[in-house]
């Protein structure tokens, strides 16, 4: 891969936010092809180097009733060395969709000769493990693990951590292009390659997102929800800088990756608010505005990379409602952050009312939050899930 | 890459037609990841191995007024070690589109630190070189090189040959997905890796081709023109086998690659008939029905691989007229082949009339053919083009 080095860096407390990076070449060859003089603005990341990082990477695929045909393509696009972790929240009746997903994964693994992990979000072993490790906030009133994307991500993160992986990346199961999946994972590795801190995050901005407009494809640069979320996050940062910034381009990025060390430190916010909340929570914890709960991290600091993928993002079309949902929850987490300036709070509130997401004189709702995973005892959690089918695979990987 | 070995092989004289092969994993790691026991039906092709083949490969990008935005993506998807050869037939007035393409290519090369070749189809050096080497059939009445895709492919093949490349592959300039381009080129290399003959061809069958149907994307398996062409080619082969065959799935494949040794032996047919004609001409020359003009090739034989790409094929939408065009010229080359059985000739004729492509009692037209490139004198051709900008790049590559 050939990628430009970040043209802008904005420091915010212990965090370095890097500007959007452009990819020039998907496959730039081996180490032997490195230009002797790598001090230019375009960096070659040889195959061997991203391969070494992918060896230590788990790719989490959250799935909920997506078509198996699409899932198979997604699996095919994940580089061989990555550990695949599927977290499914698909219904088990009247048709057992989860079983079909499990079969599809096992079938794939037989052909490509690798091991993979699949767990259901409602799995009783997981419930018990969360109870034992006192992370019961993730359970609903009926004692099941709550629905939602963030909840699935938490499960995926813990399983990757138990399997001893150093990096964790997320890809959606409904992507039409296996080549795009391969690109995202390579870009995750590229970010970690460029990073100098053990606490790093890589977020993908799609170059475009094709939509059908008047019987033709139109390649939108930014989705409506992304535009709004990025604007709000930039406004918040600008308030503290004193300079207006447009640096944040990946506020809603579902395609993102973290070092496990960072993933364990962040709080999670339920459902689709998880992605913008990661930004907010980073700033809350390491932005230097409030005292950091993890002072040791302040020295190496946090690095956030934003990489513009070359492939357009073409996935199954959801409902239009979804966009408003995403915008609304993003606004909620920014609104309720203790670091959100009053002026921005007012603006968010007015937007919510104007867009009829909220009645006047009502306080904006707040998504459920989950505290960071640092409190979870590794041994205890593993002991509970050891007997499950995925627990057995993790044991094999660890040994 | 992980790919199944061909499940069927049909021998036709000295040709081995391999059945469609499925890809299981786009990136299967390095040699160190090869399963010890590679006798299964799925073969790992390690990065190092396809890399070595791509080193010796030229990728020809024929272009005619495609959007530069798309071209840039295509270039980004071509693996670094491949030599890029652009053959443009874009207009030079009122706006010099060719100059814009040249600039885009040079800009790309600056960023990724590589050399590439671009030539215009109407370039006077090329005209002179074809005249000198007595290949004047490619010129029209005004003494210019004829328009058309096949004509551009011939130029690309000669330039790759002069640059000392061993393999040549073709990709279109209007593909929306750089990741698909990368996949095609990797599959070309996979075919050559599996081949045991210096005379090989690799043809890509798209897993699907998305079309907009009622404001949604529908993923067609086969285009209408492909269906028709494949059916006709299979009918022709079946006639000689005595068994009905469905093996041919890539009769119209624009994405294809050849060893230069094979590319130099085949005749070309003008315009869009070039792809099905390659099949016909292979059978004419090496199928054992007629005496081969190249008897030395009969021993190692020809291998034809058909690989099913994982990425859908999403390119700029052409006019609907185009499909009928493609069908019609494919039928023409089959109809006029000396090996086309009488029964099939009649069927083709009736179809042409029925589909109103031909008036009754009129003989089907015939596309212009170009003889194989074996008669071209390498030194002579190179001496003429040496002073051109692309000639200079070739000289640098050769030295």
């Amino acid at each position: 891969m050939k990628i430009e080095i970040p043209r802008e860096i904005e420091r915010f407390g212990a965090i370095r936010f890097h500007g959007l990076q452009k990819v020039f070449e998907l496959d730039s060859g081996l180490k032997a092809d490195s230009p002797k003089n790598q001090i230019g603005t375009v960096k070659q990341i040889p195959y061997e180097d991203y391969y070494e990082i992918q060896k230590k990477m788990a790719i989490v695929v959250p799935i909920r009733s997506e078509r198996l045909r699409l899932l198979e393509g997604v699996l095919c696009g994940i580089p061989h060395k990555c550990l695949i972790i599927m977290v499914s929240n698909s219904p088990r009746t009247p048709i057992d969709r989860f079983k079909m997903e499990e079969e599809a994964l096992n079938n794939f693994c037989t052909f490509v000769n690798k091991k993979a992990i699949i767990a259901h979000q409602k799995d009783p072993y997981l419930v018990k493990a969360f109870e034992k490790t006192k992370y019961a906030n993730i359970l609903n009133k009926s004692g099941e693990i709550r629905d939602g994307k963030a909840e699935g991500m938490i499960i995926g993160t813990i399983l990757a951590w138990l399997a001893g992986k150093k990096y964790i990346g997320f890809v959606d199961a409904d992507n039409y292009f296996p080549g795009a999946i391969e690109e995202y994972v390579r870009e995750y590795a590229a970010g970690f390659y460029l990073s100098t801190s053990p606490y790093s995050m890589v977020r993908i901005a799609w170059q475009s997102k094709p939509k059908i407009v008047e019987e033709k494809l139109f390649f939108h640069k930014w989705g409506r929800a992304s535009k709004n979320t990025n604007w709000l996050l930039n406004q918040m940062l600008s308030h503290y800088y004193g300079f207006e910034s447009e640096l944040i381009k990946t506020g809603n990025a579902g395609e993102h990756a973290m070092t496990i060390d960072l993933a364990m430190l962040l709080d999670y916010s339920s459902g689709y608010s998880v992605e913008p909340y990661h930004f907010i929570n980073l700033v809350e914890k390491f932005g230097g505005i409030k005292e950091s709960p993890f002072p040791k991290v302040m020295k190496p600091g946090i690095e956030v990379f934003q990489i513009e993928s070359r492939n357009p993002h073409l996935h199954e079309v959801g409902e239009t409602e979804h966009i408003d949902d995403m915008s609304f929850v993003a606004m909620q987490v920014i609104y309720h952050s203790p670091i959100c300036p009053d002026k921005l709070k007012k603006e968010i509130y007015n937007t919510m009312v104007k867009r009829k997401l909220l009645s006047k004189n009502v306080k904006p709702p707040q998504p459920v939050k989950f505290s960071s995973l640092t409190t979870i005892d590794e041994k205890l959690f593993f002991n509970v899930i050891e007997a499950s089918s995925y627990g057995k695979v993790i044991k094999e990987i660890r040994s």
Side-chain angles (χ1 to χ4, degrees), chain A residues 130-244:
Chain A
F130 281 121
E131 277 169 349
K132 283 255 182 190
T133 55
K134 306 212 159 50
Y135 200 84
N137 200 19
I138 202 170
L139 307 177
N140 64 18
K141 283 171 197 160
S142 335
E144 284 178 323
I145 295 174
R146 298 164 45 98
D147 290 327
K149 198 183 173 185
E151 294 79 350
M153 281 169 61
I154 290 175
I155 296 168
T157 303
I158 292 175
L159 297 181
W161 173 56
L162 293 178
K165 292 293 157 181
K166 215 181 143 187
Y167 306 101
I168 183 167
F170 298 90
V171 298
D172 288 342
D174 65 349
N175 197 308
Y176 281 121
F177 281 80
I181 300 290
E182 190 188 7
E183 183 190 3
Y184 299 148
V185 177
R186 206 177 290 164
E187 279 152 4
Y188 297 161
F192 296 129
Y193 176 87
L194 295 174
S195 178
T196 55
S197 164
Y199 307 99
S200 317
M201 186 187 274
V202 185
R203 303 175 74 103
I204 306 293
W206 310 319
Q207 190 170 60
S208 65
K209 190 173 169 175
K211 280 262 164 70
I212 297 167
V213 179
E214 291 171 0
E215 295 284 307
K216 277 194 174 177
L217 281 178
F218 181 80
F219 289 75
H220 286 280
K221 184 90 187 163
W222 303 106
R224 198 148 62 84
S226 298
K227 248 187 227 165
N228 189 46
T229 305
N230 290 338
W231 186 83
L232 290 172
L233 289 171
N234 283 318
Q235 283 299 104
M236 196 186 72
L237 297 187
S238 304
H239 168 85
Y240 289 99
Y241 286 141
F243 280 91
E244 188 160 17

Side-chain angles (χ1 to χ4, degrees), chain A residues 19-243:
Chain A
L20 200 61
Q21 292 170 257
K22 187 179 161 113
V23 170
F24 285 97
E25 205 170 42
L26 295 180
D27 176 358
S28 68
L30 292 167
K31 271 184 190 167
D33 303 305
S34 297
K36 272 182 202 138
N37 189 352
Q38 273 249 45
I39 48 166
T41 58
V42 177
K43 191 121 185 143
Q44 187 227 11
I45 304 168
Y47 184 89
E48 302 101 313
D49 284 326
Y50 60 76
Y51 169 91
E52 281 304 319
I53 292 168
Q54 288 170 352
K55 256 185 179 172
K56 301 173 196 150
M57 195 185 288
I59 296 297
V60 174
V61 187
I63 185 164
R64 185 173 184 155
S65 303
E66 270 84 13
R67 283 192 279 168
L68 293 180
R69 187 63 179 266
L70 294 181
L71 172 66
E72 281 164 16
V74 167
L75 296 177
C76 164
I78 298 173
H80 187 74
K81 294 312 275 187
C82 299
L83 172 66
I84 296 170
I85 301 180
M86 275 175 64
V87 182
S88 168
N89 201 15
S90 302
R92 307 205 57 165
T93 54
I95 295 163
D96 193 345
R97 296 270 327 164
F98 175 65
K99 203 173 167 204
M100 288 159 71
E101 291 157 3
E102 203 174 16
E103 274 171 12
L105 180 65
N106 290 339
N107 185 46
F108 168 77
C109 286
T110 306
F111 277 102
V112 304
N113 195 30
K114 73 188 248 184
K115 287 192 184 82
I117 290 171
I118 180 165
H120 197 274
Q121 197 152 333
K122 305 285 184 211
D123 185 73
Y125 285 104
L126 288 173
V127 173
K128 215 175 149 193
F130 281 121
E131 277 169 349
K132 283 255 182 190
T133 55
K134 306 212 159 50
Y135 200 84
N137 200 19
I138 202 170
L139 307 177
N140 64 18
K141 283 171 197 160
S142 335
E144 284 178 323
I145 295 174
R146 298 164 45 98
D147 290 327
K149 198 183 173 185
E151 294 79 350
M153 281 169 61
I154 290 175
I155 296 168
T157 303
I158 292 175
L159 297 181
W161 173 56
L162 293 178
K165 292 293 157 181
K166 215 181 143 187
Y167 306 101
I168 183 167
F170 298 90
V171 298
D172 288 342
D174 65 349
N175 197 308
Y176 281 121
F177 281 80
I181 300 290
E182 190 188 7
E183 183 190 3
Y184 299 148
V185 177
R186 206 177 290 164
E187 279 152 4
Y188 297 161
F192 296 129
Y193 176 87
L194 295 174
S195 178
T196 55
S197 164
Y199 307 99
S200 317
M201 186 187 274
V202 185
R203 303 175 74 103
I204 306 293
W206 310 319
Q207 190 170 60
S208 65
K209 190 173 169 175
K211 280 262 164 70
I212 297 167
V213 179
E214 291 171 0
E215 295 284 307
K216 277 194 174 177
L217 281 178
F218 181 80
F219 289 75
H220 286 280
K221 184 90 187 163
W222 303 106
R224 198 148 62 84
S226 298
K227 248 187 227 165
N228 189 46
T229 305
N230 290 338
W231 186 83
L232 290 172
L233 289 171
N234 283 318
Q235 283 299 104
M236 196 186 72
L237 297 187
S238 304
H239 168 85
Y240 289 99
Y241 286 141
F243 280 91

Side-chain angles (χ1 to χ4, degrees), chain A residues 229 232 252 272-273 276 325-335:
Chain A
T229 305
L232 290 172
N252 273 330
Y272 286 104
S273 63
D325 269 9
M326 277 181 75
S327 252
F328 190 36
V329 292
M331 286 190 278
Q332 288 170 32
V333 289
I334 299 172
Y335 179 94

